[in-house]
Amino acid sequence: MSKSILMVMTSHEIMGDTGNKTGMWLEEFASPYYAFKDQGYSITLASTMGGQVPIDPNSLSDDAMTDDAIRYTKDDIARSAIASTIPLEDVRAEEFDAVFYPGGHGPLWDLSDNAHSIKLIEDTIAANKPVGAVCHAPIVLKDVKAPDGSYLVAGKSVTGFTNSEEAAMQLTDVVPYLVEDELRNKGGKFEAADDFAVKVCTDGLLVTGQNPPSSRPAADALIKLLS
């Protein structure tokens, strides 16, 4: 049986009060998407609002365009799927073998406190299925509870976009949450590599990646849990 993966993305496209565009970071979608696709998995795409997922224009710059990101730009099926995602409120955990959240700054606004997302993750974990998130997307875990009522990340090895990486982007005072602070505040054992170096944590059913270069390794870690 082919595995079924749900990828959940942001619908938020404005960076705080700056007026600058944000959204999903393309590499963090494209690398996991093709990792799953090349395994033969069936992939469903959802976003908070449904429809077109906004892509951070900075992730389309030449230095951000990895092989997988370039592959996406030439892939009519993938681009059509990103343009027609299903609303998050319409998805059910029981329909999928795993859930993966690509990052970008967008999730800090519309997935950080999203009740549908929290329920999806709680139901997935309760069903003994894995959840992955990369870069800014681990913010989705901050209010998720384990079946025993404790915070899901409490006592677990986790990672995500670090405070020093956010400072390097000069966005510390723009974003509504700092991923590292929030995961630490909920009891997570936050681990980090150097800024923009690859780092993935797997703890039980939870897979987290630190930054864009960690997106494919995070997807590979989720695949390992499913195999």
Side-chain angles (χ1 to χ4, degrees):
M1 268 301 271
S2 168
K3 300 293 186 183
S4 176
I5 303 277
L6 175 67
M7 298 183 74
V8 180
M9 288 155 290
T10 184
S11 296
H12 186 87
E13 61 180 341
I14 300 295
M15 185 76 80
D17 301 328
T18 66
N20 295 328
K21 293 282 191 179
T22 187
M24 174 187 75
W25 196 263
L26 181 57
E27 160 67 7
E28 295 168 30
F29 165 75
S31 280
Y33 176 83
Y34 289 116
F36 301 144
K37 183 180 174 68
D38 294 345
Q39 285 287 323
Y41 294 174
S42 105
I43 306 167
T44 300
L45 306 185
S47 62
T48 46
M49 302 291 289
Q52 176 72 53
V53 173
I55 296 174
D56 189 318
N58 293 315
S59 72
L60 302 174
S61 64
D62 287 345
D63 61 346
M65 290 298 286
T66 61
D67 289 346
D68 286 318
I70 292 167
R71 181 178 172 184
Y72 166 82
T73 65
K74 300 173 180 176
D75 185 341
D76 290 343
I77 293 173
R79 289 189 294 123
S80 175
I82 279 289
S84 55
T85 61
I86 61 176
L88 181 55
E89 64 186 318
D90 292 343
V91 302
R92 300 292 177 267
E94 61 263 23
E95 297 170 0
F96 305 99
D97 296 302
V99 180
F100 191 91
Y101 287 77
H105 280 89
L108 296 177
W109 278 273
D110 68 347
L111 282 166
S112 51
D113 305 290
N114 187 289
H116 298 297
S117 176
I118 292 168
K119 183 175 189 326
L120 172 69
I121 297 169
E122 289 178 348
D123 290 349
T124 301
I125 295 293
N128 206 36
K129 300 173 187 175
V131 173
V134 68
C135 198
H136 288 89
I139 197 67
V140 303
L141 303 170
K142 75 179 182 68
D143 292 326
V144 173
K145 299 286 183 69
D148 67 2
S150 64
Y151 284 111
L152 179 64
V153 299
K156 285 192 169 62
S157 296
V158 290
T159 191
F161 207 64
T162 65
N163 291 352
S164 60
E165 287 170 323
E166 204 67 83
M169 303 296 291
Q170 300 183 317
L171 291 168
T172 302
D173 297 327
V174 173
V175 295
Y177 296 109
L178 293 170
V179 176
E180 178 177 344
D181 284 356
E182 291 300 321
L183 295 182
R184 288 187 187 278
N185 290 343
K186 298 301 167 64
K189 295 193 294 186
F190 192 90
E191 300 179 11
D194 292 339
D195 287 1
F196 307 105
V198 173
K199 175 69 178 178
V200 174
C201 291
T202 301
D203 195 325
L205 295 168
L206 200 54
V207 174
T208 47
Q210 182 174 322
N211 45 34
S214 306
S215 56
R216 169 70 74 143
D220 288 340
L222 191 74
I223 288 166
K224 189 175 178 183
L225 289 180
L226 286 169
S227 58

